[in-house]
Amino acid sequence: MDAINRLLVAAREARENAYAPYSRFSVGAALLTADGEIFTGCNVENLSFGLTLCAERVAAFSAVAAGKREFTGLALITDTPQPVTPCGSCRQVLYEFSPDLWIISANLEGKQQMYRLQDLLPDAFSAEF
């Protein structure tokens, strides 16, 4: 199974664990490290919305907690008519570690869209500043 399919399967499984009682918008993410490991995340909501974490950041923080700092790919799964992109906060967090990250987003029906993080976050805030 190629990397994209592995990531999509892992993201779909992670989505099943989402805690989204307020928005009912469950998201699963799977992040591929440079050495081939996969870290997953799901969104975790809180009644105090500012404390909510997106699936992408949960996956990234899990990878960082395990000592991983280089990522090559990310898959997202949602139950939406069209594939979605990461929010601005997630884009910035991911950019910190992997400006060249590729992202595949899919819905439950299998519709897919590929992105490059640099295209989604042009002129990103970075250490260069």
Side-chain angles (χ1 to χ4, degrees):
M1 184 183 311
D2 70 344
I4 290 175
N5 286 334
R6 286 180 41 230
L7 284 176
L8 288 170
V9 167
R12 185 179 289 264
E13 290 173 0
R15 183 184 170 278
E16 296 300 316
N17 293 322
Y19 179 72
Y22 308 107
S23 71
R24 307 247 190 276
F25 184 67
S26 296
V27 181
L31 186 64
L32 181 65
T33 64
D35 62 1
E37 284 190 67
I38 294 176
F39 288 84
T40 60
C42 60
N43 55 319
V44 181
E45 294 182 348
N46 189 277
L47 183 57
S48 178
F49 290 121
L51 302 178
T52 295
L53 279 180
C54 299
E56 300 93 311
R57 282 182 282 154
V58 171
F61 296 158
S62 293
V64 170
K68 306 299 177 178
R69 303 286 192 276
E70 296 179 35
F71 313 132
T72 58
L74 174 75
L76 296 175
I77 297 281
T78 56
D79 186 13
T80 54
Q82 300 296 323
V84 300
T85 60
C87 74
S89 296
C90 290
R91 293 175 192 192
Q92 182 62 49
V93 166
L94 293 165
Y95 192 92
E96 177 84 12
F97 299 99
S98 301
D100 296 324
L101 188 74
W102 55 262
I103 299 166
I104 181 145
S105 181
N107 64 14
L108 293 180
E109 286 74 43
K111 189 170 191 175
Q112 299 178 1
Q113 181 69 45
M114 288 285 289
Y115 304 95
R116 301 279 321 167
L117 181 56
Q118 289 181 342
D119 295 333
L120 294 176
L121 191 63
D123 301 320
F125 184 71
S126 70
E128 296 171 7
F129 296 110

